[in-house]
Amino acid sequence: MNPQAIEVWIEETLAQMTLEEKVSLLSGRDWWYTAPIERLGVPPVAMTDGPHGVRTDTWTEERPRGAATSFPTGVSMAASWDPALIERVGAALAAETRALDCDILLAPCVNIARTPVAGRNFESYSEDPYLAGRIGVAYVKGLQEQGVGASLKHYACNNQEVERMRGNSVVDERTLREIYLPAFEAVVKEARPWTVMCAYNRINGVYASEHQHLLRDILKGEWGFEGPVISDWGANHTIVESVAGGLDIEMPGPAKYYGQLLVEEVRHWQIEESVIDDAARRVLRLVAWSGRLDEDALPEGALNTPEHQALARELAEASITLLKNADATLPLDATKLRKVAVIGPNGAEARIGGGGSSYLEPPYRVSPLEGLRARLGPEVAVEYARGCDNYAEYPLFQPNLPPQEGAENGLRAQFYNDLALSGEPVAERLEAYLDHWRVSLPPGVDSESFAVRWTGQFRAEQSGRHAFKVYNTGTCRLYVDGALLLDATPATNQDWETIGSVAYCDLVAGQTYALQVEYVKPRGIQYGTLFLLGAYAPLPENDDRIAQAVALAKESDVAILCMGMAKGFESEGQDRPDLALPGPQTELIRAVAAANPRTVVVVNAGSPVEMPWLADVPAVVLAYYPGQEGGHALARLLLGDVNPSGKLPVTFPRRYADNPTYTNYPGLREVKYGEGIFVGYRYYDHKEVEPEFPFGFGLSYTTFEYRDLSVPETVKAGEPVPVRVTLVNTGERAGSEVAQLYVNDPESGLARPPQELKRFAKVTLEPGEQVTLTFELDERALAYYDPVRAGWVVEPGEFEVRVGSSSRDIRARARFTVR
Ligand code: BGC
């Protein structure tokens, strides 16, 4: 349907609707679908989580099952600095979403990485609003051009997980406009996302879900957003305030506030019916956009195809960032290798993502060890030593693994609507992990009130006292060999405050035990579905794993240390305590580096880590969370098949205490954004604090030169400023460079950051090849937001453009005057 036909259909449909029917559209039918109106032929629209792959544990009887591709996460997308590539990733994600018969992918997440410890930094893009905006625009365009809708999230100032559902982000208007809103603004104006998801938190005292200024004035008013605003899951807390504020759809359904209570409010003159009409129109627009009005015309999907796998690898290769490479340690020469040591807790396990709603289980995942073995072939011995653990509480074992002979491989889950778990289960299924971020329920289970029993076996690897830990809302009971070990009913029942309950049990190595876990979620608990289980075995008595790793490193040509975060350490729902590598990883790095001077450290992290060991090793590679193909990508990059081209989308500080939010985080439910516009590199530049690695930094195996930067001497205010620069590959290998353009305003009425990223381009050049890049700076690229005049201001006078390879590696400067 063309836009005109859509509006005609909307008006015709709306005219036939009762008030109850209009209101029924304003909340979900259930956890993942919008509400249909069968009488009028309004179908439901299906959503599922992103952002770096389609979450597949959300299947219901309406959806096909299948394992989706796990792409590198958001921070990797930004580290590629390659919008054209991200557009292709968006298109692939659309095909995967369609393959699972969904219409909307709940993505992208364009929130600014304000503090380096924020748990969801790995899902989002950058500390810089311009970079976040460019990547977000590309992602949404790629997705929506294939007929799948985006849900731009989380609007706005959702920058930490501590107190994420009631914290109040106290932020001034200028900072909002210059730092926290521009990525949203760019995506809304240029890519027209089908939906926008409001955040959980409050902004200046008002919940995001009822924020007139953000939702009505700015998003729908100034930026012209035409679709519905949906609440983050459980982010709506009011009836009249929310509808008046501009929240159109309460999720998940069924409605808590937007049901019969909202109908009553209209009948009692608390809210005009025209406000309901506007919201209903937006939902109908979404229905039309989804293509559900003509199911036969819906685009076909494709899941985890070889093309998507190759694309996942391409993105990993384009984003992995080379941070240090002394004495040309990398690339490794395969012909000179006989023995390679892969060491570390992330060597044999592939770290593909962080925890929370974005987590997805792909059909396979390639670890660094597997990737290197595949790349080097049987000629080279690639051996592994774990060295140490990186768990916050160690060491974790998965109770269902290893598979038991003669038993089901996994845990049998039985679902009950009866909280006493009596009678016949409503549904059963086999599950691989006891690790549920809000258990997804099979059909027939009442999501408001249900119980589950998991049964299975596990074999103890070691003798001694084991700790079993559960994180849950509701009630969790755990039995080992039939004996009740733990009965946990946390008082708060809020997922972001769950601290976990522990019980201990003596086990004997080699013995098999029966495990039974019962989970009960009564009515009235909002987040009754968060549930995690870890079981911790004791450390081996003589833990000599570091010594074993050192011995292996000594007899190898090179040691690849695979370090970083354990599964779920960076996660929705929690921030990191600091920037340290968890566990004894620093000790392991130092011991191995002392044993073998050719030591390469590979880090899996979605945000900065401190590197007190940096001077001890010649090479450091930041892999982020590189998705299911990560191990292959890493191997190709270490061996020089791929020339690294990723650049940091965030600053890496030397010490945690150096970061701009240090004194204003996490706040006591009031989070004062006291650093104002000085976020990320804007702060380090302004305060003259030396970072470990600056924003925009990343090495290559080749070298580039910047020549002939030119700008006109003077320009008229309002006219675009053309900037030209020539880039030459002066090294011996083909490679890609991200040319970054920063603008400095030497004198201005209001204080401004020393420089701000305004344009960039990623180009691939053969050795000796050169290219002339042309950038155009518009008014906005020179402007600051003046809160008194309530608008963007370009002050006449001098400006400087700086072009370079990172924010601290400026290769050319030129000045121009705005008349
Ligand atoms: C997250 C959203 C997600 C939603 C649905 C919330 O907890 O904040 O990002 O899309 O759940 O799973």
Side-chain angles (χ1 to χ4, degrees):
M1 269 204 270
N2 65 38
Q4 248 176 338
I6 289 178
E7 294 307 310
V8 170
W9 172 77
I10 290 173
E11 292 313 318
E12 282 172 5
T13 311
L14 197 65
Q16 299 171 61
M17 281 161 64
T18 63
L19 174 62
E20 278 82 356
E21 283 171 330
K22 292 176 196 170
V23 168
S24 77
L25 287 179
L26 308 190
S27 58
R29 181 194 74 187
D30 50 37
W31 200 269
W32 299 113
Y33 288 83
T34 63
I37 304 178
E38 269 166 40
R39 181 179 82 85
L40 299 171
V42 178
V45 171
M47 317 181 204
T48 185
D49 268 310
H52 50 270
V54 183
R55 180 170 164 188
T56 46
D57 69 351
T58 65
W59 66 281
T60 65
E61 62 189 343
E62 278 158 280
R63 298 184 186 182
R65 291 190 78 174
T69 308
S70 168
F71 289 90
T73 72
V75 66
S76 299
M77 297 184 198
S80 79
W81 293 65
D82 191 345
L85 173 58
I86 301 312
E87 207 170 315
R88 285 163 56 215
V89 171
L93 285 168
E96 302 228 347
T97 309
R98 283 275 3 119
L100 295 165
D101 203 24
C102 292
D103 309 302
I104 294 176
L105 193 64
L106 300 170
C109 172
V110 298
N111 293 112
I112 293 298
R114 172 179 176 256
T115 166
V117 293
R120 298 187 87 168
N121 283 349
F122 76 92
E123 272 184 75
S124 41
Y125 295 141
S126 176
E127 67 190 23
D128 181 81
Y130 179 72
L131 176 58
R134 292 339 295 162
I135 300 297
V137 167
Y139 182 104
V140 173
K141 278 190 175 163
L143 193 73
Q144 295 197 164
E145 268 160 25
Q146 302 305 316
V148 166
S151 190
L152 183 66
K153 66 192 190 181
H154 311 83
Y155 187 66
C157 296
N158 185 193
N159 306 105
Q160 65 184 54
E161 293 302 284
V162 171
E163 292 283 359
R164 72 169 179 152
M165 290 187 180
R166 57 185 170 185
N168 180 25
S169 302
V170 182
V171 51
D172 65 84
E173 186 72 16
R174 179 177 174 206
T175 300
L176 261 180
R177 299 286 185 155
E178 291 191 17
I179 303 291
Y180 296 100
L181 298 189
F184 288 98
E185 179 180 3
V187 177
V188 169
K189 285 180 172 170
E190 295 177 49
R192 304 167 68 90
W194 291 3
T195 65
V196 171
M197 185 191 295
C198 76
Y200 281 127
N201 49 283
R202 292 174 291 155
I203 303 99
N204 297 326
V206 179
Y207 270 109
S209 51
E210 53 194 54
H211 212 291
Q212 292 228 11
H213 182 52
L214 285 175
L215 300 179
R216 283 211 186 276
D217 304 348
I218 297 178
L219 176 66
K220 295 178 178 178
E222 288 177 33
W223 303 344
F225 175 63
E226 293 180 320
V229 173
I230 69 177
S231 72
D232 196 346
W233 270 229
N236 184 29
H237 311 287
T238 53
I239 311 164
V240 172
E241 291 84 344
S242 298
V243 202
L247 175 70
D248 303 302
I249 304 180
E250 173 185 310
M251 285 304 287
K256 284 200 163 60
Y257 304 99
Y258 272 21
Q260 190 53 33
L261 294 174
L262 179 52
V263 173
E264 304 290 328
E265 296 289 8
V266 181
R267 296 246 155 86
H268 288 259
W269 319 285
Q270 300 305 300
I271 188 109
E272 294 287 337
E273 190 161 343
S274 61
V275 178
I276 305 296
D277 287 347
D278 174 66
R281 274 192 191 96
R282 289 168 183 273
V283 182
L284 291 173
R285 212 168 277 137
L286 173 66
V287 171
W289 287 337
S290 77
R292 286 280 170 189
L293 293 174
D294 178 9
E295 296 243 350
D296 297 336
L298 281 173
E300 259 190 46
L303 206 59
N304 205 255
T305 58
E307 291 75 23
H308 292 181
Q309 295 164 5
L311 188 58
R313 197 188 79 194
E314 191 182 336
L315 175 54
E317 290 172 357
S319 56
I320 295 177
T321 306
L322 180 60
L323 294 179
K324 181 173 180 184
N325 194 19
D327 311 321
T329 302
L330 296 174
L332 304 170
D333 181 349
T335 61
K336 293 195 181 126
L337 297 174
R338 285 167 303 109
K339 188 162 183 176
V340 173
V342 175
I343 294 169
N346 290 352
E349 284 171 39
R351 292 278 82 91
I352 56 168
S357 58
S358 70
Y359 188 77
L360 74 140
E361 201 57 50
Y364 68 87
R365 52 173 88 194
V366 183
S367 70
L369 181 63
E370 290 162 325
L372 281 160
R373 283 195 173 141
R375 170 61 181 77
L376 290 167
E379 248 65 307
V380 183
V382 183
E383 284 181 22
Y384 177 65
R386 186 171 168 93
C388 71
D389 299 307
N390 52 356
Y391 305 118
E393 298 161 79
Y394 59 108
L396 177 101
F397 74 71
Q398 272 149 346
N400 54 321
L401 298 172
Q404 306 298 305
E405 243 172 74
E408 281 175 330
N409 178 13
L411 292 154
R412 173 134 303 270
Q414 297 172 304
F415 296 83
Y416 298 83
N417 285 334
D418 172 23
L419 298 189
L421 296 103
S422 59
E424 283 297 303
V426 186
E428 291 198 30
R429 71 184 180 209
L430 201 61
E431 293 184 356
Y433 298 90
L434 249 183
D435 180 355
H436 294 277
W437 176 262
R438 298 174 192 165
V439 185
S440 81
L441 299 170
V445 184
D446 176 0
S447 62
E448 290 294 304
S449 156
F450 67 89
V452 196
R453 179 184 293 120
W454 285 273
T455 45
Q457 304 181 356
F458 67 92
R459 187 168 40 221
E461 301 291 322
Q462 290 151 43
S463 295
R465 225 163 163 234
H466 286 59
F468 287 81
K469 185 160 192 172
V470 295
Y471 296 86
N472 66 288
T473 60
T475 295
C476 176
R477 286 185 292 267
L478 191 147
Y479 303 82
V480 173
D481 268 355
L484 179 66
L485 192 62
L486 191 143
D487 191 343
T489 307
T492 61
N493 271 322
Q494 304 285 7
D495 63 10
W496 79 97
E497 281 179 347
T498 309
I499 45 169
S501 319
V502 192
Y504 300 92
C505 174
D506 288 321
L507 302 175
V508 179
Q511 208 160 303
T512 297
Y513 296 86
L515 179 75
Q516 182 174 320
V517 180
E518 290 173 355
Y519 176 62
V520 180
K521 185 242 179 257
R523 207 169 289 282
I525 296 173
Q526 185 172 24
Y527 289 104
T529 47
L530 177 79
F531 179 63
L532 298 157
L533 167 77
Y536 303 92
L539 271 180
E541 246 165 51
N542 301 310
D543 184 10
D544 61 348
R545 290 177 300 172
I546 292 189
Q548 287 173 28
V550 165
L552 175 63
K554 266 195 186 139
E555 59 192 41
S556 302
D557 301 316
V558 60
I560 315 284
L561 272 167
C562 299
M563 317 306 282
M565 305 303 152
K567 180 173 187 278
F569 196 71
E570 281 186 85
S571 175
E572 176 178 343
Q574 72 197 42
D575 293 338
R576 283 186 297 160
D578 50 39
L579 301 187
L581 285 178
Q585 294 189 82
T586 296
E587 198 187 326
L588 175 64
I589 294 173
R590 288 200 164 126
V592 169
N596 188 334
R598 283 189 88 197
T599 289
V600 179
V601 177
V602 179
V603 178
N604 285 126
S607 38
V609 293
E610 283 168 350
M611 301 184 182
W613 38 265
L614 185 61
D616 303 331
V617 299
V620 181
V621 173
L622 178 62
Y624 310 97
Y625 296 111
Q628 70 185 44
E629 280 283 327
H632 287 321
L634 179 70
R636 282 164 50 82
L637 197 125
L638 295 177
L639 271 305
D641 309 334
V642 169
N643 192 348
S645 64
K647 301 265 191 181
L648 289 179
V650 290
T651 308
F652 270 49
R654 288 242 154 103
R655 310 174 308 142
Y656 177 38
D658 286 348
N659 94 80
T661 65
Y662 192 69
T663 46
N664 286 302
Y665 166 88
L668 291 167
R669 218 161 282 170
E670 296 277 310
V671 194
K672 194 162 182 240
Y673 284 31
E675 69 286 354
I677 54 170
F678 298 101
V679 172
Y681 65 89
R682 289 164 168 79
Y683 171 86
Y684 296 91
D685 291 347
H686 179 60
K687 282 272 282 186
E688 298 177 7
V689 176
E690 212 38 53
E692 194 73 89
F693 297 110
F695 175 80
F697 176 79
L699 299 169
S700 165
Y701 296 151
T702 186
T703 48
F704 297 95
E705 248 179 57
Y706 289 74
R707 293 180 190 155
D708 307 328
L709 173 64
S710 75
V711 279
E713 249 167 57
T714 54
V715 290
K716 262 215 273 181
E719 274 181 8
V721 187
V723 182
R724 230 166 260 148
V725 69
T726 299
L727 193 64
V728 194
N729 181 347
T730 47
E732 259 127 54
R733 280 168 185 267
S736 304
E737 167 72 329
V738 179
Q740 302 161 38
L741 189 161
Y742 297 84
V743 171
N744 150 267
D745 185 359
E747 254 182 75
S748 69
L750 294 186
R752 299 191 70 175
Q755 56 179 5
E756 297 183 276
L757 180 76
K758 293 301 173 185
R759 297 290 181 267
F760 63 86
K762 189 171 193 173
V763 283
T764 305
L765 295 174
E766 292 298 319
E769 198 187 349
Q770 66 175 54
V771 67
T772 297
L773 303 168
T774 309
F775 300 105
E776 207 175 74
L777 296 174
D778 56 12
E779 264 195 296
R780 183 68 178 270
L782 308 179
Y784 63 80
Y785 188 85
D786 183 341
V788 176
R789 283 189 259 178
W792 295 93
V793 174
V794 180
E795 284 181 5
E798 234 187 350
F799 288 86
E800 183 175 87
V801 284
R802 303 173 176 181
V803 178
S805 186
S806 87
S807 62
R808 293 278 175 119
D809 184 8
I810 299 299
R811 307 283 185 86
R813 295 161 195 256
R815 291 209 167 189
F816 63 92
T817 305
V818 174
R819 273 188 287 121

